[in-house]
Structures are given as structure tokens and as C-alpha cells.
Amino acid sequence: MKVTVNRKSHFNAAHRLYNADWSDARNAMVFGKCANPHYHGHNYDLTVSVTGEIHPDTGFVMDMKVLKKIIEEEVEEAFDHKNLNEEVPEFATLNPTAENIAVVIYNKLKPKLDSDLVLSITLYETARNYVVYSGT
Ligand code: NI
């Protein structure tokens, strides 16, 4: 019997989406306002989902206090109020799209969890645009 536990989190961050191999005009056409060279911010909403067996001793899939702390350390402290392009090493050469941010978050959190737990990342960049990454 597998159950999914979910922890919500939030961070504000600035980014710019661009491809350095392209002209300014092409970047503006593909990435729109997100190509603004002066950066802009988003209020990112994150849901971290962990699926696994209920441990008979605790009744927990995992201790949510532990999950909360891992998210604080690996995501909130690393990303909140940061310029993702300039201040977060993972995005030095990786375009900080919602897709890539979700993959980076997954890769930071996965090694911190017991290996038999299944992780899924849901990241909202706006109220209507969100991505899901589950490691495949
Ligand atoms: Ni943007």
C-alpha cells in the first residue's frame, strides 16, 4: 500500500530566459517577456511529493519535519530572493525555465531521501503555468 505525502513550499526568484547563440530579436520572439535582459521575478510555488510504504512503527511515509528541513536547505535557501542566472551555480549555463528548475530541484532532493521513496516535483511559475518532473 503506497501513499503520497506532499509538502508545499514557495520562493521568489529572478531570471532571464535566453539562448546565447541567438540574436536579441529571436530571444525576444521565443521567450517573450522572460527574455528581458534586465531580469524579472516570479513567485514560484512548489509541491514536493513523496510516495512510499507507510512505516508500521510511525504510520508515516516519511517524517514531514525532515522533508520540510530538506526543502528549506536545498531549495529555499538556495533559490529564494536570488537571481537564478547569476547566483545559482546550476543555472550558470542552464536556461532557468520552469522545466529546468524542476529538474534541478529533483536532483537536489532525491539524494536526501531514502532510496525506496519515489519523488515528484510540481513547480508553478504562474498561477496557470506549472510543470511536473518525476525523474524520468
Ligand atoms: Ni519569466
Side-chain angles (χ1 to χ4, degrees):
M1 182 172 61
K2 299 222 170 183
V3 175
T4 301
V5 298
N6 301 280
R7 171 83 190 171
K8 288 186 172 182
S9 173
H10 179 82
F11 57 93
N12 301 317
H15 76 168
R16 179 195 181 199
L17 302 183
Y18 70 105
N19 183 325
D21 294 334
W22 294 350
S23 67
D24 287 349
R26 187 169 178 196
N27 274 298
M29 189 174 70
V30 172
F31 297 116
K33 288 180 176 175
C34 281
N36 178 355
H38 301 292
Y39 303 98
H40 62 279
H42 290 281
N43 298 315
Y44 291 95
D45 278 316
L46 172 68
T47 301
V48 175
S49 302
V50 177
T51 302
E53 299 285 345
I54 298 174
H55 196 284
D57 293 342
T58 59
F60 292 162
V61 171
M62 78 171 286
D63 186 334
M64 295 300 271
K65 295 188 298 296
V66 173
L67 183 59
K68 175 187 177 199
K69 191 162 193 306
I70 292 169
I71 295 167
E72 283 173 354
E73 290 175 356
E74 298 297 325
V75 179
E76 293 170 17
E77 286 175 21
F79 295 172
D80 190 37
H81 286 73
K82 296 287 176 67
N83 178 317
L84 298 177
N85 304 74
E86 299 285 336
E87 298 182 86
V88 178
E90 286 86 350
F91 301 110
T93 59
L94 180 68
N95 218 12
T97 58
E99 291 90 328
N100 281 329
I101 297 168
V103 171
V104 166
I105 291 171
Y106 179 97
N107 289 337
K108 287 168 73 84
L109 298 185
K110 188 73 176 74
K112 304 287 181 179
L113 303 176
D114 289 347
S115 59
D116 57 342
L117 295 172
V118 175
L119 174 64
S120 181
I121 301 299
T122 302
L123 182 69
Y124 280 76
E125 189 172 73
T126 71
R128 295 184 178 85
N129 292 347
Y130 69 99
V131 302
V132 178
Y133 180 63
S134 305
T136 56

mmCIF file of all heavy atoms in Angstrom, residues 81-117:
data_model
loop_
_atom_site.group_PDB
_atom_site.id
_atom_site.type_symbol
_atom_site.label_atom_id
_atom_site.label_comp_id
_atom_site.label_asym_id
_atom_site.label_seq_id
_atom_site.Cartn_x
_atom_site.Cartn_y
_atom_site.Cartn_z
ATOM 1 N N HIS A 81 14.770 34.735 -3.253
ATOM 2 C CA HIS A 81 15.303 36.087 -3.430
ATOM 3 C C HIS A 81 16.662 36.095 -4.125
ATOM 4 O O HIS A 81 17.501 36.948 -3.859
ATOM 5 C CB HIS A 81 15.351 36.854 -2.104
ATOM 6 C CG HIS A 81 13.990 37.286 -1.646
ATOM 7 N ND1 HIS A 81 13.068 36.405 -1.143
ATOM 8 C CD2 HIS A 81 13.390 38.494 -1.646
ATOM 9 C CE1 HIS A 81 11.955 37.054 -0.840
ATOM 10 N NE2 HIS A 81 12.118 38.324 -1.141
ATOM 11 N N LYS A 82 16.865 35.113 -5.013
ATOM 12 C CA LYS A 82 18.099 35.061 -5.788
ATOM 13 C C LYS A 82 17.794 35.362 -7.252
ATOM 14 O O LYS A 82 16.671 35.194 -7.730
ATOM 15 C CB LYS A 82 18.725 33.658 -5.698
ATOM 16 C CG LYS A 82 19.167 33.239 -4.301
ATOM 17 C CD LYS A 82 20.410 33.978 -3.859
ATOM 18 C CE LYS A 82 20.809 33.638 -2.435
ATOM 19 N NZ LYS A 82 21.243 32.247 -2.266
ATOM 20 N N ASN A 83 18.850 35.815 -7.917
ATOM 21 C CA ASN A 83 18.830 35.865 -9.367
ATOM 22 C C ASN A 83 19.344 34.499 -9.840
ATOM 23 O O ASN A 83 20.523 34.182 -9.647
ATOM 24 C CB ASN A 83 19.739 36.999 -9.847
ATOM 25 C CG ASN A 83 19.812 37.089 -11.354
ATOM 26 O OD1 ASN A 83 19.916 36.078 -12.047
ATOM 27 N ND2 ASN A 83 19.786 38.308 -11.863
ATOM 28 N N LEU A 84 18.461 33.704 -10.406
ATOM 29 C CA LEU A 84 18.827 32.315 -10.712
ATOM 30 C C LEU A 84 19.992 32.246 -11.683
ATOM 31 O O LEU A 84 20.908 31.438 -11.506
ATOM 32 C CB LEU A 84 17.614 31.564 -11.271
ATOM 33 C CG LEU A 84 16.414 31.440 -10.324
ATOM 34 C CD1 LEU A 84 15.255 30.746 -11.038
ATOM 35 C CD2 LEU A 84 16.776 30.689 -9.052
ATOM 36 N N ASN A 85 19.973 33.091 -12.713
ATOM 37 C CA ASN A 85 21.057 33.055 -13.708
ATOM 38 C C ASN A 85 22.405 33.402 -13.094
ATOM 39 O O ASN A 85 23.417 32.776 -13.400
ATOM 40 C CB ASN A 85 20.787 34.046 -14.846
ATOM 41 C CG ASN A 85 19.463 33.842 -15.532
ATOM 42 O OD1 ASN A 85 18.429 34.166 -14.970
ATOM 43 N ND2 ASN A 85 19.483 33.331 -16.753
ATOM 44 N N GLU A 86 22.392 34.415 -12.221
ATOM 45 C CA GLU A 86 23.653 34.987 -11.752
ATOM 46 C C GLU A 86 24.153 34.366 -10.453
ATOM 47 O O GLU A 86 25.355 34.390 -10.183
ATOM 48 C CB GLU A 86 23.479 36.502 -11.522
ATOM 49 C CG GLU A 86 23.098 37.292 -12.769
ATOM 50 C CD GLU A 86 24.275 37.472 -13.710
ATOM 51 O OE1 GLU A 86 25.428 37.406 -13.248
ATOM 52 O OE2 GLU A 86 24.029 37.658 -14.914
ATOM 53 N N GLU A 87 23.246 33.882 -9.627
ATOM 54 C CA GLU A 87 23.630 33.495 -8.261
ATOM 55 C C GLU A 87 23.505 32.010 -7.952
ATOM 56 O O GLU A 87 23.957 31.577 -6.892
ATOM 57 C CB GLU A 87 22.758 34.259 -7.240
ATOM 58 C CG GLU A 87 22.913 35.751 -7.294
ATOM 59 C CD GLU A 87 22.051 36.420 -6.232
ATOM 60 O OE1 GLU A 87 22.523 36.546 -5.085
ATOM 61 O OE2 GLU A 87 20.915 36.778 -6.547
ATOM 62 N N VAL A 88 22.865 31.261 -8.813
ATOM 63 C CA VAL A 88 22.666 29.834 -8.544
ATOM 64 C C VAL A 88 23.505 29.051 -9.557
ATOM 65 O O VAL A 88 23.236 29.089 -10.760
ATOM 66 C CB VAL A 88 21.173 29.462 -8.640
ATOM 67 C CG1 VAL A 88 20.975 27.966 -8.410
ATOM 68 C CG2 VAL A 88 20.364 30.279 -7.628
ATOM 69 N N PRO A 89 24.531 28.351 -9.078
ATOM 70 C CA PRO A 89 25.507 27.738 -9.993
ATOM 71 C C PRO A 89 24.888 26.798 -11.019
ATOM 72 O O PRO A 89 25.374 26.730 -12.161
ATOM 73 C CB PRO A 89 26.443 26.965 -9.050
ATOM 74 C CG PRO A 89 26.248 27.565 -7.702
ATOM 75 C CD PRO A 89 24.883 28.166 -7.664
ATOM 76 N N GLU A 90 23.816 26.102 -10.644
ATOM 77 C CA GLU A 90 23.203 25.150 -11.575
ATOM 78 C C GLU A 90 22.701 25.829 -12.855
ATOM 79 O O GLU A 90 22.550 25.169 -13.890
ATOM 80 C CB GLU A 90 22.025 24.424 -10.905
ATOM 81 C CG GLU A 90 22.423 23.370 -9.882
ATOM 82 C CD GLU A 90 22.640 23.936 -8.481
ATOM 83 O OE1 GLU A 90 22.677 25.172 -8.311
ATOM 84 O OE2 GLU A 90 22.771 23.122 -7.544
ATOM 85 N N PHE A 91 22.430 27.159 -12.764
ATOM 86 C CA PHE A 91 21.882 27.856 -13.924
ATOM 87 C C PHE A 91 22.906 28.770 -14.594
ATOM 88 O O PHE A 91 22.539 29.628 -15.401
ATOM 89 C CB PHE A 91 20.630 28.646 -13.527
ATOM 90 C CG PHE A 91 19.555 27.773 -12.951
ATOM 91 C CD1 PHE A 91 19.234 27.832 -11.606
ATOM 92 C CD2 PHE A 91 18.894 26.849 -13.743
ATOM 93 C CE1 PHE A 91 18.270 27.004 -11.054
ATOM 94 C CE2 PHE A 91 17.929 26.009 -13.208
ATOM 95 C CZ PHE A 91 17.620 26.087 -11.857
ATOM 96 N N ALA A 92 24.169 28.571 -14.286
ATOM 97 C CA ALA A 92 25.202 29.394 -14.919
ATOM 98 C C ALA A 92 25.164 29.230 -16.436
ATOM 99 O O ALA A 92 25.351 30.190 -17.179
ATOM 100 C CB ALA A 92 26.574 29.023 -14.373
ATOM 101 N N THR A 93 24.888 28.005 -16.889
ATOM 102 C CA THR A 93 24.802 27.763 -18.332
ATOM 103 C C THR A 93 23.501 27.058 -18.718
ATOM 104 O O THR A 93 23.321 26.707 -19.877
ATOM 105 C CB THR A 93 25.989 26.910 -18.824
ATOM 106 O OG1 THR A 93 25.983 25.664 -18.123
ATOM 107 C CG2 THR A 93 27.302 27.629 -18.583
ATOM 108 N N LEU A 94 22.615 26.871 -17.753
ATOM 109 C CA LEU A 94 21.343 26.173 -17.996
ATOM 110 C C LEU A 94 20.207 27.183 -17.921
ATOM 111 O O LEU A 94 20.091 27.915 -16.934
ATOM 112 C CB LEU A 94 21.151 25.079 -16.929
ATOM 113 C CG LEU A 94 19.892 24.220 -16.998
ATOM 114 C CD1 LEU A 94 19.933 23.314 -18.237
ATOM 115 C CD2 LEU A 94 19.771 23.366 -15.728
ATOM 116 N N ASN A 95 19.385 27.243 -18.969
ATOM 117 C CA ASN A 95 18.296 28.209 -19.010
ATOM 118 C C ASN A 95 17.322 27.940 -17.852
ATOM 119 O O ASN A 95 16.814 26.820 -17.728
ATOM 120 C CB ASN A 95 17.557 28.071 -20.350
ATOM 121 C CG ASN A 95 17.112 29.390 -20.924
ATOM 122 O OD1 ASN A 95 17.518 30.457 -20.462
ATOM 123 N ND2 ASN A 95 16.289 29.324 -21.953
ATOM 124 N N PRO A 96 17.052 28.937 -16.982
ATOM 125 C CA PRO A 96 16.213 28.682 -15.814
ATOM 126 C C PRO A 96 14.721 28.723 -16.126
ATOM 127 O O PRO A 96 13.951 29.515 -15.559
ATOM 128 C CB PRO A 96 16.624 29.786 -14.836
ATOM 129 C CG PRO A 96 17.057 30.910 -15.718
ATOM 130 C CD PRO A 96 17.659 30.276 -16.954
ATOM 131 N N THR A 97 14.303 27.859 -17.041
ATOM 132 C CA THR A 97 12.879 27.658 -17.296
ATOM 133 C C THR A 97 12.270 26.891 -16.132
ATOM 134 O O THR A 97 12.984 26.249 -15.347
ATOM 135 C CB THR A 97 12.682 26.826 -18.574
ATOM 136 O OG1 THR A 97 13.357 25.571 -18.403
ATOM 137 C CG2 THR A 97 13.222 27.547 -19.795
ATOM 138 N N ALA A 98 10.949 26.904 -16.049
ATOM 139 C CA ALA A 98 10.287 26.111 -15.009
ATOM 140 C C ALA A 98 10.675 24.634 -15.141
ATOM 141 O O ALA A 98 10.894 23.947 -14.136
ATOM 142 C CB ALA A 98 8.771 26.282 -15.105
ATOM 143 N N GLU A 99 10.796 24.167 -16.384
ATOM 144 C CA GLU A 99 11.176 22.771 -16.606
ATOM 145 C C GLU A 99 12.538 22.468 -15.970
ATOM 146 O O GLU A 99 12.712 21.487 -15.235
ATOM 147 C CB GLU A 99 11.260 22.476 -18.119
ATOM 148 C CG GLU A 99 9.936 22.492 -18.851
ATOM 149 C CD GLU A 99 9.562 23.876 -19.414
ATOM 150 O OE1 GLU A 99 9.914 24.901 -18.807
ATOM 151 O OE2 GLU A 99 8.899 23.892 -20.466
ATOM 152 N N ASN A 100 13.519 23.331 -16.298
ATOM 153 C CA ASN A 100 14.871 23.070 -15.785
ATOM 154 C C ASN A 100 14.965 23.284 -14.276
ATOM 155 O O ASN A 100 15.713 22.577 -13.597
ATOM 156 C CB ASN A 100 15.887 23.956 -16.510
ATOM 157 C CG ASN A 100 16.236 23.419 -17.893
ATOM 158 O OD1 ASN A 100 16.227 22.204 -18.115
ATOM 159 N ND2 ASN A 100 16.556 24.306 -18.811
ATOM 160 N N ILE A 101 14.205 24.244 -13.748
ATOM 161 C CA ILE A 101 14.217 24.449 -12.291
ATOM 162 C C ILE A 101 13.663 23.211 -11.594
ATOM 163 O O ILE A 101 14.206 22.754 -10.571
ATOM 164 C CB ILE A 101 13.407 25.714 -11.909
ATOM 165 C CG1 ILE A 101 14.047 26.962 -12.511
ATOM 166 C CG2 ILE A 101 13.327 25.857 -10.388
ATOM 167 C CD1 ILE A 101 13.158 28.208 -12.419
ATOM 168 N N ALA A 102 12.600 22.629 -12.139
ATOM 169 C CA ALA A 102 12.021 21.418 -11.541
ATOM 170 C C ALA A 102 13.019 20.263 -11.550
ATOM 171 O O ALA A 102 13.134 19.523 -10.567
ATOM 172 C CB ALA A 102 10.743 21.024 -12.292
ATOM 173 N N VAL A 103 13.759 20.124 -12.636
ATOM 174 C CA VAL A 103 14.762 19.047 -12.723
ATOM 175 C C VAL A 103 15.885 19.282 -11.718
ATOM 176 O O VAL A 103 16.329 18.347 -11.027
ATOM 177 C CB VAL A 103 15.318 18.931 -14.158
ATOM 178 C CG1 VAL A 103 16.506 17.973 -14.204
ATOM 179 C CG2 VAL A 103 14.231 18.470 -15.121
ATOM 180 N N VAL A 104 16.327 20.524 -11.599
ATOM 181 C CA VAL A 104 17.386 20.845 -10.629
ATOM 182 C C VAL A 104 16.911 20.555 -9.202
ATOM 183 O O VAL A 104 17.642 19.967 -8.397
ATOM 184 C CB VAL A 104 17.843 22.307 -10.792
ATOM 185 C CG1 VAL A 104 18.685 22.765 -9.599
ATOM 186 C CG2 VAL A 104 18.642 22.474 -12.091
ATOM 187 N N ILE A 105 15.673 20.946 -8.890
ATOM 188 C CA ILE A 105 15.135 20.681 -7.551
ATOM 189 C C ILE A 105 15.075 19.169 -7.300
ATOM 190 O O ILE A 105 15.489 18.684 -6.247
ATOM 191 C CB ILE A 105 13.746 21.332 -7.383
ATOM 192 C CG1 ILE A 105 13.890 22.853 -7.343
ATOM 193 C CG2 ILE A 105 13.044 20.815 -6.124
ATOM 194 C CD1 ILE A 105 12.566 23.606 -7.398
ATOM 195 N N TYR A 106 14.578 18.437 -8.271
ATOM 196 C CA TYR A 106 14.515 16.976 -8.136
ATOM 197 C C TYR A 106 15.904 16.408 -7.837
ATOM 198 O O TYR A 106 16.075 15.606 -6.914
ATOM 199 C CB TYR A 106 13.958 16.360 -9.431
ATOM 200 C CG TYR A 106 13.863 14.854 -9.401
ATOM 201 C CD1 TYR A 106 12.672 14.219 -9.083
ATOM 202 C CD2 TYR A 106 14.983 14.059 -9.688
ATOM 203 C CE1 TYR A 106 12.588 12.839 -9.044
ATOM 204 C CE2 TYR A 106 14.910 12.681 -9.634
ATOM 205 C CZ TYR A 106 13.713 12.072 -9.315
ATOM 206 O OH TYR A 106 13.647 10.704 -9.272
ATOM 207 N N ASN A 107 16.885 16.843 -8.605
ATOM 208 C CA ASN A 107 18.238 16.289 -8.465
ATOM 209 C C ASN A 107 18.892 16.673 -7.134
ATOM 210 O O ASN A 107 19.755 15.953 -6.640
ATOM 211 C CB ASN A 107 19.118 16.732 -9.635
ATOM 212 C CG ASN A 107 18.722 16.055 -10.936
ATOM 213 O OD1 ASN A 107 18.118 14.978 -10.926
ATOM 214 N ND2 ASN A 107 19.049 16.679 -12.054
ATOM 215 N N LYS A 108 18.481 17.803 -6.560
ATOM 216 C CA LYS A 108 18.992 18.195 -5.247
ATOM 217 C C LYS A 108 18.317 17.401 -4.119
ATOM 218 O O LYS A 108 18.959 17.054 -3.124
ATOM 219 C CB LYS A 108 18.770 19.697 -5.011
ATOM 220 C CG LYS A 108 19.708 20.590 -5.841
ATOM 221 C CD LYS A 108 19.266 22.055 -5.815
ATOM 222 C CE LYS A 108 19.524 22.735 -4.492
ATOM 223 N NZ LYS A 108 20.882 23.266 -4.344
ATOM 224 N N LEU A 109 17.021 17.126 -4.269
ATOM 225 C CA LEU A 109 16.277 16.479 -3.186
ATOM 226 C C LEU A 109 16.421 14.959 -3.190
ATOM 227 O O LEU A 109 16.447 14.337 -2.123
ATOM 228 C CB LEU A 109 14.789 16.843 -3.276
ATOM 229 C CG LEU A 109 14.422 18.319 -3.124
ATOM 230 C CD1 LEU A 109 12.899 18.471 -3.119
ATOM 231 C CD2 LEU A 109 15.018 18.936 -1.873
ATOM 232 N N LYS A 110 16.483 14.363 -4.370
ATOM 233 C CA LYS A 110 16.449 12.888 -4.472
ATOM 234 C C LYS A 110 17.511 12.221 -3.611
ATOM 235 O O LYS A 110 17.188 11.249 -2.890
ATOM 236 C CB LYS A 110 16.577 12.471 -5.945
ATOM 237 C CG LYS A 110 16.367 10.974 -6.172
ATOM 238 C CD LYS A 110 14.913 10.591 -6.038
ATOM 239 C CE LYS A 110 14.649 9.123 -6.351
ATOM 240 N NZ LYS A 110 15.087 8.196 -5.307
ATOM 241 N N PRO A 111 18.779 12.687 -3.631
ATOM 242 C CA PRO A 111 19.798 12.003 -2.818
ATOM 243 C C PRO A 111 19.573 12.143 -1.310
ATOM 244 O O PRO A 111 20.181 11.404 -0.540
ATOM 245 C CB PRO A 111 21.107 12.691 -3.226
ATOM 246 C CG PRO A 111 20.809 13.467 -4.458
ATOM 247 C CD PRO A 111 19.354 13.777 -4.432
ATOM 248 N N LYS A 112 18.713 13.078 -0.907
ATOM 249 C CA LYS A 112 18.467 13.295 0.526
ATOM 250 C C LYS A 112 17.375 12.376 1.074
ATOM 251 O O LYS A 112 17.133 12.367 2.284
ATOM 252 C CB LYS A 112 18.041 14.757 0.771
ATOM 253 C CG LYS A 112 19.025 15.790 0.256
ATOM 254 C CD LYS A 112 20.253 15.840 1.126
ATOM 255 C CE LYS A 112 21.237 16.883 0.637
ATOM 256 N NZ LYS A 112 22.422 16.940 1.501
ATOM 257 N N LEU A 113 16.681 11.680 0.181
ATOM 258 C CA LEU A 113 15.568 10.818 0.599
ATOM 259 C C LEU A 113 16.005 9.361 0.623
ATOM 260 O O LEU A 113 16.928 8.969 -0.097
ATOM 261 C CB LEU A 113 14.394 10.971 -0.381
ATOM 262 C CG LEU A 113 13.843 12.381 -0.573
ATOM 263 C CD1 LEU A 113 12.753 12.365 -1.638
ATOM 264 C CD2 LEU A 113 13.327 12.963 0.727
ATOM 265 N N ASP A 114 15.317 8.553 1.431
ATOM 266 C CA ASP A 114 15.551 7.109 1.384
ATOM 267 C C ASP A 114 15.351 6.635 -0.049
ATOM 268 O O ASP A 114 14.436 7.085 -0.750
ATOM 269 C CB ASP A 114 14.570 6.387 2.315
ATOM 270 C CG ASP A 114 14.895 6.622 3.785
ATOM 271 O OD1 ASP A 114 15.999 7.132 4.074
ATOM 272 O OD2 ASP A 114 14.047 6.302 4.634
ATOM 273 N N SER A 115 16.184 5.690 -0.465
ATOM 274 C CA SER A 115 16.214 5.318 -1.878
ATOM 275 C C SER A 115 14.936 4.613 -2.330
ATOM 276 O O SER A 115 14.660 4.561 -3.530
ATOM 277 C CB SER A 115 17.424 4.433 -2.164
ATOM 278 O OG SER A 115 17.359 3.270 -1.370
ATOM 279 N N ASP A 116 14.139 4.073 -1.392
ATOM 280 C CA ASP A 116 12.902 3.393 -1.805
ATOM 281 C C ASP A 116 11.724 4.361 -1.949
ATOM 282 O O ASP A 116 10.617 3.935 -2.282
ATOM 283 C CB ASP A 116 12.561 2.260 -0.829
ATOM 284 C CG ASP A 116 12.431 2.751 0.611
ATOM 285 O OD1 ASP A 116 12.921 3.864 0.910
ATOM 286 O OD2 ASP A 116 11.846 2.034 1.430
ATOM 287 N N LEU A 117 11.923 5.643 -1.714
ATOM 288 C CA LEU A 117 10.863 6.633 -1.872
ATOM 289 C C LEU A 117 10.874 7.208 -3.284
ATOM 290 O O LEU A 117 11.942 7.429 -3.862
ATOM 291 C CB LEU A 117 11.033 7.764 -0.848
ATOM 292 C CG LEU A 117 10.873 7.346 0.618
ATOM 293 C CD1 LEU A 117 11.250 8.497 1.537
ATOM 294 C CD2 LEU A 117 9.450 6.863 0.893
#
